Every structure is written in C-alpha cells, then in structure tokens.
Amino acid sequence: MTAAVTAGRGLADDVRVDGRENGGRRPDPEVEPKARRRSFTAAYKLRILTEYEAATSPGAKGAILRRENLYSAHIVEWRKAREAGALSGLSKPKGRPPVDERDRELEKLRAEKDRLEKE
C-alpha cells in the first residue's frame, strides 16, 4: 500500500506503509548504521601537539585543526594528558598482562595437591 504524504510547502514524500522496518527502503550507504566516537592513538596525539605548538604564522594553528578535523578542545585535553604523563601510558598494549610461567606452574601444583587430598 502506498500513500502520498505532503511534507510541507507542497513537497510530496512517497511513504510505504507495509509494516516492514524503514518501510522496506534500503539504508543510506553514506550514513553509518551506528555512530561511533573517534579514537586517536597516543602517537597521533603527540604528533599533532608537536605540530600545533610549532606553528607560528597567523592562521597556521587553525589550518592544522581544519586539516585534521579537530577542535581546540582536543588540543587542550591532550595537553593536560601529556602533562599528567597519561599519553606515555597509552602506548602500552591493552588487556591483561601475560601470566608468568611460575604462577601457572604453582596453580597447576595446587590443583594437583587438592585432587590428591580428596582421594
């Protein structure tokens, strides 16, 4: 079933009413299905901070921000993080540290001891 809906000022919009999600239309390929927050690596932040602080000519700092699609708030937060020493810690790999071989062997021996005591 198709219905013409007037969307103000005489514009017509062909809206499908068939019970399907999005009216059976294909999603727009230009729009991501779910918005994601941008994330920047520590190396990138340090590189941009160095370049930004080295810029001396009028308008150079703004040009860097426009080129990288950043805001001055990014620079402020990254400076604070750098001064607090947080950017150096960001380069470490994420996740748990690998288990020490001695700890693994100790856990194995404890489990074997418990099993033998139960017997």
Side-chain angles (χ1 to χ4, degrees):
M1 178 177 176
T2 304
V5 177
T6 305
R9 294 190 173 204
L11 300 175
D13 186 15
D14 184 19
V15 178
R16 298 194 184 279
V17 185
D18 57 359
R20 289 188 284 174
E21 188 175 328
N22 295 332
R25 294 184 183 157
R26 294 184 184 151
D28 186 4
E30 297 293 324
V31 179
E32 290 194 27
K34 185 173 182 179
R36 292 185 317 187
R37 183 172 288 218
R38 294 186 296 173
S39 61
F40 307 100
T41 64
Y44 175 79
K45 291 177 183 181
L46 290 174
R47 182 177 62 81
I48 295 299
L49 278 175
T50 309
E51 184 180 352
Y52 186 83
E53 291 167 351
T56 57
S57 64
K61 291 182 177 185
I64 293 169
L65 294 177
R66 285 189 299 276
R67 182 190 72 215
E68 299 293 330
N69 197 20
L70 297 172
Y71 296 97
S72 59
H74 286 115
I75 301 297
V76 171
E77 291 299 318
W78 295 350
R79 275 187 188 145
K80 288 179 186 176
R82 182 186 60 193
E83 290 167 3
L87 289 183
S88 61
L90 290 176
S91 60
K92 295 179 183 175
K94 291 184 179 179
R96 292 183 179 177
V99 178
D100 187 23
E101 202 54 45
R102 291 178 14 201
D103 292 339
R104 188 177 288 136
E105 182 67 23
L106 185 61
E107 186 63 35
K108 181 180 169 186
L109 290 173
R110 284 184 180 156
E112 186 178 350
K113 178 183 172 259
D114 289 342
R115 183 183 57 82
L116 290 172
E117 285 178 351
K118 287 181 183 178
E119 288 178 2

